[in-house]
Amino acid sequence: MSWVARVALGLALAGFPLVGGDFYINLVSQMFIAAIFASSLNLLVGYGGLVSLGHASWIGLAAYTSAWLYLRLGLGHWITAPLALVITTMIAGLFGWIALRATGLGFLMITLALSQVLWGTAYRWSAMTNGDNGLSGLTRPAPFGISIDGPAAFYYFSLIVTIFAIWMMARFVNSPFGAALRGCRDEPRRMSALGHNVWLVRWLAFVYSGFWGAVAGLLFVYYNKYIHPTALSLTSSAEVLLGVIAGGAGTVAGPIVGAAIVVILKNYVSAYLERWNMLLGSVFVLIVIFMPDGVVPGFRRWWARWRKQ
């Protein structure tokens, strides 16, 4: 993307709350959260070659941890947020240690099984999670004394966090470690022969992915002021995985575009179509047929062909 396009995009994002209504401001805020969530999964799927069906664990675990510490222990947001990130990242390290004993389909099934343990715990351990009723009565933090209760204020807060998160993940994949991760994806035996610890590279990527998934979880619970076990469900993991694949795994922009597509279909189209899930499935089928490598790589390929004509 050229610097002119980046400046134009930045101005459009910064000025959107000035022209958009509250509904659309909140919709874009949800896109920001979904973009961080999808980009964190893309570190595994796109760059590590590790397809996970348990990524919702991190958004749900961070949200539940922050909410429980705030509601049950009365701790302030300044301490609940870092504690939620630390606890979630540590559990991501434990789950990665277990799941990375396998690859391919085995890795996918282990991540699914581990996430279902957390989902079942959230449903059944009512004393901790309030079960199917979820945890409510939450508030949003006020960073540096600035309230983010309004739609526009939360929009700018989530925009800043999203820009920083995407930048950090882009730096990660473009670093020498990111090159090693891609090497472990494409040629694990050769990387091992060259002296790289393939398992450790994948585990560190798993933990880093879990951390940014936890950041998305904090934004998620701040936005909704409520957390329910469905945040940990298989559906949540499948939706974000579909977003990564549809947008273009292994690219920085792909998961952002894919997440936006999912959020729009889920929150906007569903207001007009009762069977919006059928439309969601149809959109993904069309993407797979006409852009098998994703929307972003597909448009790049079409643009290159058009310029050559």
Side-chain angles (χ1 to χ4, degrees), residues 14 32 80 88 95 122 124-125 143-144 150 153 197 215 227 236 238 305:
F32 292 152
T80 62
T88 303
F95 279 21
R124 297 300 181 184
W125 198 0
F144 306 106
N197 188 330
V215 171
I227 182 64
S236 297
R305 289 178 182 175

Side-chain angles (χ1 to χ4, degrees), residues 76-90:
H77 291 295
W78 65 272
I79 188 65
T80 62
L83 279 177
L85 292 177
V86 169
I87 292 172
T88 303
T89 304
M90 290 177 63

Side-chain angles (χ1 to χ4, degrees), residues 179-202:
L181 179 62
R182 292 191 296 274
C184 293
R185 174 197 65 191
D186 299 330
E187 296 287 348
R189 291 185 179 180
R190 180 173 295 180
M191 292 295 290
S192 181
L194 291 173
H196 292 272
N197 188 330
V198 174
W199 184 91
L200 182 60
V201 170
R202 289 172 171 170

